[in-house]
Amino acid sequence: MRPVLLAGSSHPALARNVAAALQLPLGRCGLERFPDGELDVQLEENVRGAEVFILQALNAPVGEHLLELALMSDACQRLGARSVTAVIPYLGYARHDRRVSGVEPLGARVVAELIAAGRVDRVICLDLHSRAVEGCFPRPVEHADALPLLIAHLRSTLTLPAVVVSPDLGAVKRAEAFAQPLGLPVAVVHKQRISGSEVKAMGVVGDVKGRHVIVVDDMIATGGTLAAAVKTVIEHGALSPVTVVASHGLFVGPAQERLSVLPLSRVVVTDSVPFVGTARFPLEVIGAAPALADVIRRLVAPPNAA
Ligand code: R5P
């Protein structure tokens, strides 16, 4: 029996691209609202005995998208699906993977538990903020990797000498994984977060002087981290303009304004969340569908397939 792919309302375009990559039709599911604002999910697909994949990005409004995912999964389970897998190109609250002040919740854990409450059997996540987030899930997590797509996109246009810059300590492993196949060195910006949208860069470890810089991070949200990193590397003698690569381009709050005044040649992100509006900076969006489709293909392949 062939698998069924369903799309939540957060990112139908990406779901269509994943369906096309898998040569599957997108399953039918009605998503409306009752007059009181509650979600009205009506499964219009026969999922009995099928392996069901529900694509839902958990970007804002995270709570609504999360509940929709849980309701869709519950409907599939009640209709006799063999298994339900949540395909989550962007996991909201993934940055809340540890308590900093000690008086806040462990948001990533709560979100992971709520996903499981919808009775999903497993989860596919694209480029999680940190691998440690996997530990928040009571269900198995499969990782989809956008880095090879981003590397392939940039490889042919690299200008040397270049250096890959991690904008903070948390992104060092990602920067190294990006730099290694391209044979590039890595430098790290020492970042201090002041608030949700404000950061301060304290300096750079590594040599950026006279080099083209590629800043690599997992996500751009308000653009504060990026702005601090770009200003710092230029102060330390890096060549301008700078290239930026991130798996998730949220571009929230002051991001457009911040990025529009930075010396940027390219800002390359995947379409893990939909971009709404017109970018006031040199944005390049590459499709994440191949990375997600690869994992789904692997999961539905018969155990003895090569
Ligand atoms: C931080 O740990 C992340 O890797 C990103 O650097 C950060 O969340 C980006 O947020 P913003 O664009 O708001 O600085």
Side-chain angles (χ1 to χ4, degrees), residues 214-246:
I214 307 166
V215 178
V216 174
D217 205 352
D218 64 320
M219 68 166 82
I220 303 168
T222 67
T225 301
L226 182 57
V230 169
K231 284 178 196 151
T232 307
V233 292
I234 287 180
E235 278 164 18
H236 283 75
L239 298 175
S240 175
V242 166
T243 297
V244 179
V245 176

Side-chain angles (χ1 to χ4, degrees), residues 58 62 90-101 103-112 128-130 132-137 193 196 218-219 221 250:
L58 296 184
V62 184
Y90 172 71
L91 180 74
Y93 286 85
R95 288 180 287 178
H96 301 242
D97 57 351
R98 62 192 183 284
R99 298 195 305 151
V100 179
S101 67
V103 292
E104 74 273 52
L106 201 49
R109 166 97 190 188
V110 173
V111 166
L128 272 177
H129 174 61
S130 75
V133 175
E134 176 174 353
C136 294
F137 282 90
R193 186 165 281 286
D218 64 320
M219 68 166 82
L250 271 64

Side-chain angles (χ1 to χ4, degrees), residues 33-300:
R33 292 220 174 241
F34 290 109
D36 59 2
E38 292 176 359
L39 291 162
D40 179 9
V41 175
Q42 299 283 333
L43 208 54
E44 295 155 8
E45 197 69 36
N46 179 12
V47 296
R48 186 165 300 279
E51 291 186 81
V52 179
F53 294 83
I54 306 172
L55 190 140
Q56 180 80 314
L58 296 184
N59 55 324
V62 184
E64 288 293 308
H65 291 153
L66 184 55
L67 181 58
E68 192 182 88
L69 171 63
L71 293 173
M72 289 173 75
S73 172
D74 186 75
C76 293
Q77 295 285 17
R78 285 173 198 283
L79 283 162
R82 189 167 128 209
S83 67
V84 177
T85 302
V87 183
I88 305 178
Y90 172 71
L91 180 74
Y93 286 85
R95 288 180 287 178
H96 301 242
D97 57 351
R98 62 192 183 284
R99 298 195 305 151
V100 179
S101 67
V103 292
E104 74 273 52
L106 201 49
R109 166 97 190 188
V110 173
V111 166
E113 294 281 359
L114 290 172
I115 293 168
R119 300 201 287 137
V120 302
D121 295 289
R122 68 186 162 205
V123 177
I124 299 174
C125 287
L126 180 80
D127 286 15
L128 272 177
H129 174 61
S130 75
R131 283 274 170 147
V133 175
E134 176 174 353
C136 294
F137 282 90
R139 298 279 182 276
V141 175
E142 299 283 337
H143 298 276
D145 188 1
L147 221 51
L149 299 172
L150 294 162
I151 292 170
H153 185 77
L154 284 186
R155 186 186 282 278
S156 62
T157 50
L158 271 186
T159 325
L160 299 175
V163 57
V164 173
V165 169
S166 169
D168 57 27
L169 285 174
V172 172
K173 283 211 174 312
R174 189 177 308 265
E176 284 172 352
F178 187 91
Q180 199 267 335
L182 298 171
L184 297 178
V186 173
V188 184
V189 173
H190 180 195
K191 171 181 106 175
Q192 194 179 27
R193 186 165 281 286
I194 296 161
S195 71
S197 67
E198 299 295 327
V199 301
K200 195 162 91 182
M202 319 289 283
V204 187
V205 180
D207 190 10
V208 297
K209 198 171 170 129
R211 290 177 183 268
H212 297 278
V213 164
I214 307 166
V215 178
V216 174
D217 205 352
D218 64 320
M219 68 166 82
I220 303 168
T222 67
T225 301
L226 182 57
V230 169
K231 284 178 196 151
T232 307
V233 292
I234 287 180
E235 278 164 18
H236 283 75
L239 298 175
S240 175
V242 166
T243 297
V244 179
V245 176
S247 301
H248 310 291
L250 271 64
F251 306 117
V252 293
Q256 282 264 29
E257 203 183 317
R258 281 176 171 164
L259 269 63
S260 67
V261 295
L262 289 176
L264 302 174
S265 52
R266 313 167 75 178
V267 178
V268 183
V269 296
T270 77
D271 60 354
S272 64
V273 292
F275 182 82
V276 184
T278 310
R280 286 159 50 198
F281 51 90
L283 177 65
E284 295 172 32
V285 181
I286 65 163
L292 296 167
D294 272 357
V295 179
I296 296 175
R297 220 176 272 121
R298 205 173 64 225
L299 292 175
V300 297

